[in-house]
Amino acid sequence: MTHSAKYSPPEAGRRDQHRRRADRSTHTADVPLASAQRTHTPPTRERGPAWHIQPGHPGGAYSDLGHELDPPAHHTPTLLSRSRPTGRRGDEHEFRGGCLACEWEGAVRSGDGFGHGDNDAVEDAHDHAFPGWRTLPPITTVEDRSAVPRSRSRWTQLTAQYLAGWVDQGAPVVTWRRYRREAHAPAHAGRPRYELRVPRPPIDRGRHPADQGALF
């Protein structure tokens, strides 16, 4: 899917990240505030509220990534969202993957967030930016989610199976999730990559523990 709309700055004076793409996507450049949330104006054929970058995700409010003047030189995943009023049922939340470097957008995913709908959209964005990420070696314990990146040797061992250039481009860390709807963790300056939490594979009773596919 391609962009057919604009990211327009929510307040006067904000610089246009994509000013060289007239009538296409634009991104704010300042440090995000609640009032600086990027909006995405839907095309005329698509009715409903504007899409915006989900707060806390790269390029959105409360994120310390994705606010440079120029777009990244490589695909950079983020998450778009919007709420649609549905009358007595309250608002319906919708999500789709986005890219800070190009005009790609993913399929619309419905859900209430917190791992429902938003996870699928984030994964779509990574399918776009890092096709094949699902085969990356996982981190298998909660403790190692923080311990492995802090250990140079373990981090080198983990990322040795990444494609060339992926680490520098912000390819995700894959971890086994703790529960069914554990939400993916967005990238931030301290960890400039998403932490994608995937289902633990079923246990193969006939397999020896030494043969396990995970590194940790």
Side-chain angles (χ1 to χ4, degrees):
M1 182 180 292
T2 59
H3 282 294
S4 54
K6 299 179 182 178
Y7 283 107
S8 53
E11 59 187 41
R14 293 200 171 271
R15 293 170 292 179
D16 183 357
Q17 253 193 24
H18 289 188
R19 61 184 182 277
R20 294 171 301 186
R21 300 180 188 169
D23 300 323
R24 308 304 285 269
S25 295
T26 60
H27 296 271
T28 59
D30 294 343
V31 175
L33 301 173
S35 60
Q37 184 168 289
R38 289 189 202 163
T39 59
H40 179 209
T41 306
T44 54
R45 66 178 181 273
E46 181 183 353
R47 297 182 178 181
W51 291 93
H52 62 270
I53 295 180
Q54 178 77 353
H57 289 256
Y62 307 114
S63 173
D64 53 7
L65 291 179
H67 298 275
E68 295 77 13
L69 180 60
D70 295 317
H74 50 79
H75 294 306
T76 304
T78 191
L79 177 65
L80 306 177
S81 66
R82 70 177 181 180
S83 297
R84 299 167 59 93
T86 58
R88 290 178 299 176
R89 294 184 300 163
D91 290 349
E92 177 186 23
H93 301 288
E94 294 181 331
F95 305 91
R96 68 196 318 176
C99 181
L100 297 182
C102 72
E103 299 172 7
W104 175 89
E105 289 177 352
V108 176
R109 307 286 193 170
S110 297
D112 56 9
F114 306 102
H116 184 217
D118 53 339
N119 270 8
D120 290 334
V122 167
E123 291 174 15
D124 291 342
H126 282 79
D127 288 338
H128 165 73
F130 302 104
W133 67 266
R134 298 168 193 273
T135 64
L136 295 175
I139 292 175
T140 62
T141 69
V142 173
E143 295 75 18
D144 278 345
R145 292 180 182 183
S146 58
V148 170
R150 290 200 305 264
S151 168
R152 178 176 298 181
S153 61
R154 297 183 72 188
W155 178 250
T156 299
Q157 182 185 10
L158 177 72
T159 58
Q161 298 187 44
Y162 284 48
L163 293 181
W166 270 24
V167 174
D168 292 338
Q169 293 172 15
V173 171
V174 177
T175 70
W176 286 357
R177 67 191 185 192
R178 295 173 295 171
Y179 47 87
R180 186 172 63 88
R181 280 178 51 176
E182 185 178 15
H184 298 320
H188 54 79
R191 190 200 64 238
R193 64 194 75 253
Y194 276 78
E195 184 176 280
L196 302 184
R197 292 145 180 187
V198 302
R200 180 188 297 266
I203 297 174
D204 185 348
R205 300 291 183 182
R207 194 178 188 183
H208 192 276
D211 295 330
Q212 69 179 27
L215 289 179
F216 307 105

